[in-house]
C-alpha cells in the first residue's frame, strides 16, 4: 500500500520556546509534517534535505512560538462567574451540552490545546473533540469527583435537590458519594468503565460545598489508598485530590496521590514530602482572584473564599522554593471564567516568584508529565503532536500578555489551525492545516 503523503509546513524566522525550560532559540525553524513535529531547532542546524529545500517557508518575522498550553484543572460543565450553576436544573441537557461546546472552543482559541476536566464531562466530549467533530482542547476527563457524605462532593440540600447533579452531571454519570473502602473501589472501577482518564477525590472540605469547611478532613487515608491502588491496577491512572486544609493535604500526600489540587495550607513538612515523592501541586491561583457573589452562594461560602484565597496566595512561593513540582491549573468554571486560562501564568510569577520560563514549563512539559501524556505533547520536540501557539508579544518580557486572547495570534493543535487571528498562515496553508 502506498503511504499517504503528509504535507510539510516550515515555519521560519521564529523565536522558539520549546517547553523544556531551556533558554529560547532566537532564530529557529519548526517543521510540521501532518499532525506531528518533524523537526525544531536553530535555523543553522536545519537538515538540508532536498525535500525541505523545495518546501515554501513561512516567515514568522521573529514572533515567539510556544507549545500549546495545558490546563490540568478545569470544569467545562460549570459556567464561570457570569452565571449561577444551579440554573442547570431548569435546562434541557441538549442546551447544557451546547454551552459546554462554546466553552471548549473559546478555551482552545485562547491558547489551551490540552485540558484535564476534573469533574463534569463524560468521555463522549473527549471522543467528539478527538474526532474533530467539535473544536476544543485535547481532553482528559475524570467524569466525577468522589467524597464522603457531607464532604466536598455532597451538594444534597434538605429540600431534596442535589446541587452537584443539577450543575454538572449528564445522564449516566456515576454517583459521587463513597463512604467505605469497598465503596470507593467499586466507584473507581465504574469510572474506569465509563472511560475516565484520571480519578478525582476530595480529602478536605471546600470553599463552595455547603456541609463542610476546608480545614476538615474529607476522605480518610485508607479510602485514598484504596482509590490509588485501584487506579494503579487499571492502567496506572493518575489520582488528583482536592485538598485545601492541612489534614486533607496530609491524607492525600501520605496515601500516594499524584497531585494535590489547591494545597493552600501546605506545611514545610508536607512540601518536603511532596518534593521527595515527586507529587505535583496544581495551585489554581486564578480561582482565588475573584470572590463568589454572596447573593448567589450565601455569606458563609463567601467568607470561606475570602479567607482561603488569601492563604493560597501567601503560601505559594514557599511551595515553589521547596522544589515541589508545579503544574498549571485554573479551576476555570467556578469563579474563574473560561478562556482566560493563561492569566494563571502571570499569577504563578506574581505569587510564586517563578520566572516566566518556569511558569511556561509548568503549563507545558511539566503539566504533560503530571497527566501522563508527555510522550505525546508538552514540548516542541521531534515526534510530538504539533500543538503550538504563535504569540503576538514576548512572553518572557511580559508573561501577563498571554492572558489577553488578542496576543494569542495563532493556535495550532494536532497540526490543524484552530484560529489564526492575524492571518499570518493564510499565505501557506497545506491541507493538513485546514
Amino acid at each position: 500500500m502506498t503511504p499517504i503523503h503528509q504535507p510539510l509546513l516550515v515555519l521560519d524566522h521564529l523565536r522558539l520556546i520549546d517547553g523544556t525550560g531551556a533558554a529560547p532559540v532566537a532564530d529557529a525553524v519548526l517543521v510540521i509534517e501532518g499532525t506531528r513535529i518533524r523537526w525544531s531547532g536553530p535555523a543553522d542546524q536545519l537538515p538540508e534535505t532536498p525535500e525541505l529545500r523545495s518546501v515554501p517557508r513561512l516567515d514568522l518575522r521573529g514572533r515567539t512560538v510556544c507549545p500549546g498550553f495545558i490546563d490540568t484543572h478545569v470544569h467545562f460543565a460549570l459556567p464561570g462567574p457570569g452565571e449561577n450553576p444551579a440554573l442547570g436544573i431548569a435546562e434541557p441537557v441538549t442546551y447544557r451540552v451546547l454551552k459546554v461546546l462554546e466553552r471548549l472552543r473559546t478555551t482552545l482559541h485562547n491558547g489551551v490545546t490540552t485540558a484535564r476536566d476534573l469533574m463534569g464531562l463524560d468521555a463522549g466530549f473527549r471522543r467528539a473533540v478527538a474526532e474533530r467533530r467539535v473544536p476544543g482542547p485535547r481532553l482528559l476527563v475524570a467524569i466525577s469527583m468522589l467524597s464522603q457524605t457531607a464532604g466536598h462532593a455532597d451538594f444534597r440540600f434538605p429540600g431534596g435537590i442535589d446541587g452537584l447533579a443539577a450543575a454538572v452531571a449528564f445522564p449516566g454519570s456515576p454517583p459521587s458519594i463513597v463512604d467505605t473502602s469497598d465503596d470507593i473501589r467499586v466507584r473507581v472501577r465504574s469510572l474506569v468503565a465509563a472511560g475516565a482518564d484520571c480519578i478525582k477525590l476530595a480529602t478536605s472540605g471546600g470553599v463552595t460545598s455547603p456541609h463542610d469547611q476546608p480545614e476538615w478532613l474529607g476522605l480518610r487515608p485508607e479510602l485514598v489508598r484504596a482509590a490509588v491502588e485501584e487506579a494503579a491496577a487499571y492502567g496506572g491512572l493518575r489520582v488528583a485530590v482536592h485538598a485545601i486544609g492541612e489534614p486533607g493535604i496530609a491524607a492525600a500526600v501520605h496515601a500516594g496521590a499524584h497531585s494535590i489540587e489547591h494545597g493552600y495550607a501546605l506545611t514545610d513538612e508536607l512540601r518536603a514530602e511532596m518534593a521527595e515523592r515527586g507529587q505535583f501541586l496544581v495551585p489554581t491561583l486564578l480561582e482565588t482572584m475573584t470572590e463568589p457573589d454572596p447573593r448567589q452562594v450565601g455569606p458563609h461560602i463567601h467568607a470561606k473564599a475570602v479567607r482561603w484565597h488569601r492563604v493560597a496566595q501567601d503560601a505559594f512561593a514557599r511551595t515553589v522554593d521547596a522544589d515541589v513540582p508545579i503544574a498549571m491549573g485554573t479551576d476555570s468554571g467556578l469563579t474563574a471564567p473560561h478562556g482566560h486560562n493563561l492569566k494563571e501564568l502571570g499569577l504563578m510569577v506574581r505569587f510564586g516568584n517563578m520566572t516566566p520560563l518556569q511558569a511556561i514549563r509548568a503549563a507545558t512539559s511539566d503539566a504533560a508529565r503530571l497527566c501522563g501524556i508527555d510522550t505525546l505533547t508538552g514540548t516542541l520536540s521531534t515526534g510530538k503532536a504539533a500543538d503550538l501557539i504563535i504569540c503576538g508579544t514576548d512572553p518572557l518580557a511580559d508573561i501577563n500578555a498571554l492572558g489577553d486572547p488578542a496576543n494569542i495570534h495563532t493556535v495550532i493543535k494536532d497540526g490543524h489551525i484552530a484560529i489564526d487571528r492575524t492571518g499570518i498562515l493564510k499565505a501557506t496553508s497545506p491541507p493538513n492545516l485546514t
Side-chain angles (χ1 to χ4, degrees), residues 60-343:
L60 295 192
R61 302 173 186 173
R63 287 177 173 86
T64 299
V65 174
C66 296
F69 289 102
I70 301 170
D71 191 334
T72 68
H73 190 135
V74 295
H75 296 290
F76 286 112
L78 293 173
E83 183 181 324
N84 188 340
L87 295 177
I89 197 170
E91 296 173 346
V93 172
T94 49
Y95 182 68
R96 289 160 62 188
V97 168
L98 291 171
K99 291 198 295 183
V100 168
L101 300 186
E102 173 64 17
R103 296 164 196 157
L104 290 169
R105 182 192 62 81
T106 298
T107 300
L108 173 64
H109 286 184
N110 294 352
V112 174
T113 55
T114 301
R116 187 171 69 159
D117 189 278
L118 286 185
M119 178 194 66
L121 296 194
D122 63 28
F125 290 95
R126 181 189 63 212
R127 179 177 175 179
V129 170
E131 294 177 354
R132 297 186 67 217
R133 296 180 184 277
V134 297
R138 177 183 299 102
L139 286 175
L140 304 169
V141 296
I143 302 178
S144 294
M145 173 177 64
L146 306 181
S147 87
Q148 80 287 1
T149 298
H152 186 49
D154 190 351
F155 280 73
R156 296 173 294 186
F157 291 95
I161 298 298
D162 185 339
L164 193 62
V168 304
F170 290 96
S173 296
S176 298
I177 306 303
V178 290
D179 286 310
T180 68
S181 294
D182 287 343
D183 284 348
I184 204 165
R185 289 183 186 278
V186 172
R187 200 58 45 77
V188 168
R189 295 168 192 168
S190 297
L191 289 167
V192 170
D197 298 292
C198 58
I199 302 300
K200 170 77 177 294
L201 312 177
T203 59
S204 82
V207 170
T208 57
S209 40
H211 304 303
D212 56 22
Q213 294 291 331
E215 60 267 39
W216 293 1
L217 178 62
L219 288 176
R220 305 313 194 250
E222 61 270 20
L223 273 71
V224 182
R225 282 192 293 270
V228 170
E229 185 177 292
E230 291 296 324
Y234 286 93
L237 297 187
R238 286 357 190 221
V239 176
V241 178
H242 161 101
I244 293 179
E246 181 183 346
I249 298 172
V253 170
H254 298 336
H258 296 88
S259 65
I260 305 301
E261 311 293 316
H262 317 303
Y264 299 164
L266 271 165
T267 64
D268 288 341
E269 291 76 15
L270 288 168
R271 292 184 178 99
E273 185 172 349
M274 288 180 67
E276 182 178 354
R277 289 172 172 260
Q279 294 166 305
F280 277 81
L281 174 71
V282 179
T284 63
L285 293 166
L286 186 59
E287 192 269 334
T288 73
M289 300 306 294
T290 304
E291 312 302 354
D293 188 340
R295 294 169 297 181
Q296 287 188 357
V297 302
H300 63 299
I301 289 178
H302 181 262
K304 286 195 285 184
V306 170
R307 174 191 171 191
W308 285 99
H309 289 174
R310 299 294 83 76
V311 171
Q313 295 165 9
D314 293 343
F316 182 53
R318 294 196 297 277
T319 305
V320 174
D321 290 342
D323 292 327
V324 174
I326 306 296
M328 188 188 83
T330 62
D331 220 356
S332 293
L334 290 176
T335 58
H338 294 286
H340 295 272
N341 312 62
L342 299 190
K343 288 184 176 181

Side-chain angles (χ1 to χ4, degrees), residues 21 320 326 348 352-363 366 396:
V320 174
I326 306 296
M348 288 192 289
N353 298 322
M354 301 174 79
T355 67
L357 205 57
Q358 287 174 320
I360 290 171
R361 176 174 170 172
D366 285 345
L396 301 188

